[in-house]
Amino acid sequence: MTGGPSTDLDEWRWVALSSLSLSDEKLLEVLALVERIADRDQAREVLHGIRPRLIQLRPLRRLHAQRLLFRPVEDLFDQPERYRSHIGRLSRRVIAPCWQMLSATLESDLLADTAARLDQVDLYDPGAIIAIGLPLWHASASLLRRFLGGGLPPGRNGVAPQDLEVELLEQMSGIAAVLDVAEEIEIAKGRLPHRPVATLSTADVDLLCAQISQLAAASASQLQAFLQVILARLSKPGELLKVLDQLRLPQGDGERQSLVQAIGSSRLAGLVFEAQDLRRAGIRTDQIGDTARTAERLAQGFLSLETALGGLSDRRIAAKVRAARGEIGAVVREAVMDRAEKTLFAALVSDQLATADYGAPAAPAMAAAEVAEASANALRRCGRIAEAVGIKPEIGRRLQAICDRLEHSPRDPIIEPGAREAALMRSVRLIELIAGPDDAMRALERGRKWLAGEGR
Amino acid sequence: MVNAAQTGMIANTLSERGMAVPFTTPDLTQCRVRLDSGDRFEFLLPNFSGAKGRYVMPWRSVTAMMTTTLHDRALYEKMCEQRTHDPIKLRSAALEVAATGLAGPKAAQSAADALEADRQYQIMTNFLLVLELLKLVGLSPVDLIADGLASDAAQERIKAALRRVADRFRISHDDLYMRVEVLSGLVAAVGLPGAPEKGRLRLLVGSLTVYRDTMRQWAMTLPAELAELTEFQALVSDRTHQLAHHRIEVLDQKLAAVGSVVANWEGRVPALSREIREIAFLLDGWDYLIALCQEAAEKDAGERQNLITEGFQMLPVIPRDQMLIADEKRMSGLKAIQRRWVRANEDWRAGVFDYDQVMKTEAIKARVA
């Protein structure tokens, strides 16, 4: 370790680093404290450091007025460096000027009342959150429109439209459109599981159909804003487009089909950019699992949108999607497979060395066993993605080789005869995660036969 | 070939309701198993087509219908090998299988810890029973520790006192030891009333009221349909608590006279064994539901709804002969709600079960043990 922190920010980095070794419960306690830090830079520093753990734990975050305001829009935000215009997405860069204008312009009573009610709210009660958010969302949407139309007196808000780039102004307009349907979005979010939503229940579909019909009756732009947010939460956005395609809407068949095509293509473009970003971003070894999950979500997304849109008739889009699938394939092949294989065997050896007896892994071996499981899970995802991105034979061969190696690992002379049964169970468990129970069962039977004979 | 018969949703008796098996295959998680007329296991599965009733089928039909995890294949083998015909034996079998690591490292660690805790608890129960017997011949705990419990003098005094107890009951010394050993094995799942730590099933009865209150609280913020499912879960846990609490009170009265149980062995033990078995059957399946509830408490609203729907599917509805709290019509209505809210857990590509879901079940298994 170094000699310790030298500046305030260094101190917070130090806190973040130290927090990573804490238990889940303690880490959440640290998070609750950090969320009360007034200095946003310092809080951000800690949150940045512990984000990988937070992604896994998905704790409910303390709500304050700014977070509540942007909550309905959250699914559309991208980091500034990854933001692309004209595909229905927003850059996080717009948050600061937007909030600066709104916090200076909104009624101070409204902000104070919101803050006071948020302090008391049950974060598990979506209805209560909506009740607090509704006046804020409506007032903000209205103020944003007045601001963009030049209808707010200058000087009061600290920001004027002419001070901002056209790009940001367009995004503010996008935010206003989403805030108009914030209630419907939050109702749907409260009912659906966390993103990415893998499957919808009958009750989910019924709710979404009712909401779509109601919004379509109000205005096409409201429906579009709602769909953009909900589609961004789904692993298989095509499922919702198919539902939409079968609904009778006041807009008529032609307009409905155009909407399906427009919104589907815009989501498709978003996925294409995500696939490009996935390859460009450097992948750390501890991110293999997340990368594999993202790659799988993208592969699923392409497949479902392609089906919902009736194939990709536009050659240019089809070529882009093909290229994006190639990017996913490259990530799977070069980043995930290679690293997951190495990590898996390194963890397996470490686990075997640390476990001297039969039975459950001892405490030091537990971490290694969990790493081995996470790597096996990433490899399983690679196998699932392979066909959708056109690399099935290659990945199939590699996974088979990994399973063969795993099957033979209990026969390693380093393993004491008394520990071989436990080693066999560990290896078949990993084979099961990668290749399924039937392959694992066969490996178990062969392993037991060996143990009963020469492995005794 | 699937060989299946249909059955209603409310069992007539506890043994007809069967035991919840902690399988990890998503469609089999906590599915119930009971013995057929030939003493073979038959499994009760939900009707996958969504129609009324449940399927009753042997294991070979289950495996013909779906792929099962390696853990479940090993557990079934163990169940057959050990003839696990009651929930207490089934629990031990399940822990032994989980300890091999087939349900993941965390479940393995928890299972190994639970097996050790059970062993220690049985030793403690044995010790408490011996203390009770020693009191009959005038040896109090204070006398025992006077020279230190492990001293030669104390050990000699205990042996002599136990010989006096055996003589009093007109049984051999070995018989006395055997009876205490068997009784402690039998009672350990519930625990003795005055034990410094409560037994597993006694603790579980206490958790039922927490479960009931949690469900009632959640019902206030859930959509109406789901609130109905949640209220019903609260009702079932409440009534199960009442029944189990009463049965344990009755059992405690019988256990208060340990000497009488040991002395009238043939007359008293079969009934005691039946009563403990009935308590275990009554509470069977609740440990998993309580762990599911703890898991849901840490999730957001959408995930919580998922887990509530899942929990309803596994709810140990009280059989008719214990207390009638719902008829087939009401159950059918609630089941229809559950079906509307349940989300499929399939692998998006192949339509087979998803290991992500298996691992969620394994995480709950780790909590249960």
Side-chain angles (χ1 to χ4, degrees):
Chain A
M1 293 307 259
T2 65
S6 56
T7 66
D8 277 357
L9 279 185
D10 282 345
E11 275 179 16
W12 288 111
R13 282 186 199 115
W14 189 265
V15 170
L17 197 65
S18 314
S19 304
L20 287 176
S21 57
L22 295 175
S23 66
D24 291 350
E25 291 74 20
K26 291 283 172 207
L27 187 81
L28 295 178
E29 283 176 27
V30 170
L31 175 68
L33 290 174
V34 169
E35 297 215 292
R36 293 181 184 274
I37 300 173
D39 186 323
R40 302 305 305 154
D41 284 344
Q42 292 178 346
R44 203 171 294 124
E45 203 56 48
V46 183
L47 291 175
H48 180 72
I50 61 175
R51 184 153 287 132
R53 290 275 303 278
L54 294 184
I55 289 170
Q56 286 171 350
L57 289 172
R58 276 195 295 263
L60 291 184
R61 306 287 301 275
R62 181 176 163 259
L63 277 175
H64 46 71
Q66 183 185 349
R67 189 170 284 157
L68 177 65
L69 172 68
F70 292 110
R71 190 175 154 108
V73 200
E74 190 55 44
D75 294 289
L76 299 181
F77 281 130
D78 287 326
Q79 292 303 331
E81 64 276 13
R82 293 195 178 171
Y83 166 74
R84 273 93 166 186
S85 57
H86 305 303
I87 55 164
R89 306 287 301 171
L90 302 165
S91 166
R92 286 200 176 274
R93 200 161 66 88
V94 73
I95 294 176
C98 200
W99 177 245
Q100 192 187 344
M101 186 282 288
L102 287 171
S103 57
T105 319
L106 282 163
E107 299 279 345
S108 55
D109 284 355
L110 175 62
L111 284 174
D113 182 50
T114 304
R117 291 173 71 191
L118 283 177
D119 265 349
Q120 309 293 324
V121 75
D122 173 3
L123 292 173
Y124 292 95
D125 184 353
I129 294 171
I130 291 170
I132 301 171
L134 213 47
L136 184 69
W137 297 323
H138 282 169
S140 300
S142 160
L143 280 173
L144 275 168
R145 289 215 172 77
R146 280 177 61 200
F147 171 75
L148 294 167
L152 282 182
R156 199 182 146 198
N157 51 44
V159 188
Q162 55 272 27
D163 298 336
L164 300 174
E165 300 158 36
V166 174
E167 180 79 56
L168 285 179
L169 297 174
E170 280 173 1
Q171 290 186 49
M172 284 183 171
S173 164
I175 290 174
V178 175
L179 291 180
D180 282 337
V181 288
E183 183 180 9
E184 287 76 10
I185 288 170
E186 288 302 312
I187 288 173
K189 278 165 63 179
R191 279 271 294 262
L192 299 176
H194 59 76
R195 65 177 181 181
V197 179
T199 45
L200 297 171
S201 67
T202 311
D204 298 333
V205 174
D206 287 351
L207 170 76
L208 291 171
C209 284
Q211 289 186 301
I212 289 170
S213 302
Q214 185 195 331
L215 290 168
S219 87
S221 64
Q222 287 198 358
L223 176 59
Q224 186 156 357
F226 174 79
L227 288 172
Q228 255 163 356
V229 174
I230 301 302
L231 284 183
R233 297 183 72 81
L234 306 180
S235 294
K236 291 178 275 190
E239 269 192 12
L240 185 59
L241 291 184
K242 275 193 257 177
V243 170
L244 177 65
D245 211 18
Q246 283 159 12
L247 283 178
R248 280 177 179 275
L249 301 180
Q251 281 78 1
D253 287 352
E255 202 174 323
R256 188 198 57 221
Q257 280 161 10
S258 305
L259 178 67
V260 168
Q261 285 296 327
I263 207 150
S265 304
S266 137
R267 187 73 199 111
L268 204 56
L271 294 181
V272 166
F273 289 133
E274 265 195 82
Q276 291 169 357
D277 289 340
L278 188 67
R279 190 164 187 202
R280 274 185 215 133
I283 299 161
R284 295 204 317 259
T285 303
D286 62 348
Q287 292 173 331
I288 299 169
D290 290 340
T291 307
R293 257 189 293 274
T294 306
E296 185 173 27
R297 177 176 58 78
L298 293 173
Q300 264 181 292
F302 284 130
L303 201 63
S304 100
L305 281 170
E306 215 173 329
T307 313
L309 297 173
L312 300 174
S313 49
D314 185 322
R315 279 185 178 180
R316 212 167 45 89
I317 295 177
K320 281 186 177 174
V321 170
R322 223 177 7 255
R325 283 199 168 114
E327 303 273 7
I328 298 172
V331 168
V332 165
R333 196 190 294 122
E334 295 157 18
V336 183
M337 282 290 295
D338 286 354
R339 288 177 198 212
E341 184 177 354
K342 280 181 198 152
T343 320
L344 172 74
F345 285 104
L348 189 68
V349 169
S350 153
D351 185 17
Q352 280 165 351
L353 287 176
T355 311
D357 203 352
Y358 284 102
M366 180 60 83
E370 285 183 348
V371 170
E373 294 243 325
S375 308
N377 280 328
L379 289 168
R380 181 181 73 254
R381 286 186 206 287
C382 291
R384 288 210 298 227
I385 303 164
E387 187 171 12
V389 296
I391 51 172
K392 191 180 175 188
E394 181 196 336
I395 299 298
R397 274 194 304 275
R398 287 178 69 180
L399 290 177
Q400 184 58 54
I402 291 170
C403 289
D404 289 346
R405 205 175 144 195
L406 277 171
E407 188 179 332
H408 285 88
S409 65
R411 303 178 192 191
D412 194 319
I414 199 172
I415 298 168
E416 305 256 333
R420 282 185 182 151
E421 172 78 23
L424 174 66
M425 298 315 268
R426 274 198 295 278
S427 69
V428 295
R429 160 75 178 177
L430 295 170
I431 293 173
E432 181 178 21
L433 291 182
I434 297 169
D438 292 337
D439 284 27
M441 192 71 208
R442 284 190 285 273
L444 178 63
E445 284 163 0
R446 286 192 292 262
R448 281 195 169 144
K449 213 170 157 186
W450 180 81
L451 277 178
E454 50 186 303
R456 255 184 305 197
Chain B
M1 183 71 187
V2 174
N3 173 18
Q6 280 201 320
T7 179
M9 279 179 279
I10 305 173
N12 289 311
T13 62
L14 283 170
S15 56
E16 190 186 299
R17 188 178 77 177
M19 305 178 284
V21 191
F23 284 140
T24 56
T25 306
D27 285 330
L28 293 181
T29 308
Q30 294 298 99
C31 84
R32 293 206 162 251
V33 63
R34 66 187 183 199
L35 295 174
D36 68 7
S37 52
D39 257 11
R40 287 163 307 215
F41 290 120
E42 59 181 17
F43 291 83
L44 286 82
L45 300 184
N47 193 318
F48 300 114
S49 67
K52 283 181 190 172
R54 285 186 292 179
Y55 283 124
V56 184
M57 58 180 80
W59 179 252
R60 67 170 188 282
S61 301
V62 173
T63 53
M65 202 168 68
M66 66 179 82
T67 306
T68 56
T69 60
L70 206 52
H71 166 274
D72 294 359
R73 296 174 200 199
L75 179 53
Y76 178 69
E77 248 179 55
K78 179 81 79 184
M79 285 164 64
C80 294
E81 187 187 300
Q82 297 186 350
R83 300 183 62 76
T84 50
H85 293 174
D86 70 59
I88 298 172
K89 282 189 190 149
L90 175 58
R91 176 175 182 272
S92 300
L95 289 174
E96 283 169 29
V97 173
T100 63
L102 286 179
K106 275 193 179 157
Q109 185 67 65
S110 308
D113 291 347
L115 284 169
E116 178 56 19
D118 283 0
R119 202 179 66 83
Q120 294 293 342
Y121 197 83
Q122 191 174 331
I123 292 172
M124 187 185 77
T125 307
N126 190 307
F127 179 68
L128 294 173
L129 286 172
V130 169
L131 285 184
E132 284 302 311
L133 292 174
L134 291 177
K135 279 186 207 166
L136 296 175
V137 290
L139 199 62
S140 72
V142 179
D143 300 330
L144 279 177
I145 54 172
D147 303 320
L149 199 57
S151 70
D152 290 346
Q155 292 295 314
E156 270 313 308
R157 213 162 39 228
I158 293 170
K159 276 182 194 163
L162 284 173
R163 268 195 295 271
R164 288 207 301 280
V165 174
D167 292 345
R168 187 168 163 173
F169 294 158
R170 295 187 186 145
I171 57 174
S172 71
H173 193 231
D174 285 348
D175 259 359
L176 179 69
Y177 273 114
M178 183 275 292
R179 288 180 188 190
V180 172
E181 187 65 31
V182 170
L183 190 58
S184 60
L186 198 61
V187 170
V190 181
L192 291 167
E197 281 172 45
K198 284 186 178 177
R200 186 176 58 83
L201 293 177
R202 212 178 277 271
L203 282 172
L204 192 54
V205 174
S207 305
L208 285 175
T209 54
V210 179
Y211 183 89
R212 175 200 64 201
D213 296 344
T214 309
M215 288 294 135
R216 283 184 182 155
Q217 193 196 335
W218 289 356
M220 290 190 276
T221 60
L222 287 167
E225 274 192 331
L226 272 187
E228 211 178 316
L229 286 191
T230 316
E231 292 280 12
F232 187 69
Q233 294 188 44
L235 175 71
V236 177
S237 58
D238 185 51
R239 299 299 157 84
T240 306
H241 172 262
Q242 286 174 22
L243 286 170
H245 189 262
H246 172 69
R247 277 168 185 264
I248 288 179
E249 270 182 353
V250 172
L251 181 72
D252 285 350
Q253 283 164 14
K254 292 180 178 168
L255 286 173
V258 174
S260 165
V261 175
V262 176
N264 304 302
W265 191 249
E266 274 80 20
R268 304 287 293 276
V269 166
L272 210 59
S273 167
R274 235 185 350 264
E275 277 157 26
I276 293 171
R277 199 166 176 263
E278 289 241 317
I279 293 170
F281 262 101
L282 184 62
L283 294 170
D284 182 49
W286 278 104
D287 50 358
Y288 190 90
L289 273 176
I290 286 164
L292 198 68
C293 172
Q294 288 165 347
E295 184 87 3
E298 296 161 10
K299 304 285 179 187
D300 58 29
E303 281 299 297
R304 191 178 279 179
Q305 289 166 13
N306 251 1
L307 292 171
I308 288 169
T309 315
E310 205 179 302
F312 179 79
Q313 172 88 12
M314 301 163 185
L315 193 66
V317 179
I318 299 170
R320 289 173 215 273
D321 72 341
Q322 302 291 311
M323 186 187 267
L324 192 61
I325 58 166
D327 54 18
E328 287 287 338
K329 201 175 160 196
R330 181 171 186 199
M331 285 303 296
S332 181
L334 292 167
K335 185 79 193 128
I337 295 175
Q338 189 260 349
R339 273 198 303 275
R340 268 176 46 72
W341 284 79
V342 78
R343 299 184 179 101
N345 295 315
E346 285 182 346
D347 172 337
W348 60 278
R349 191 188 44 117
V352 294
F353 71 77
D354 185 358
Y355 265 94
D356 290 341
Q357 183 61 27
V358 172
M359 294 181 95
K360 282 184 189 171
T361 304
E362 290 173 351
I364 295 166
K365 259 178 96 73
R367 266 183 195 269
V368 172

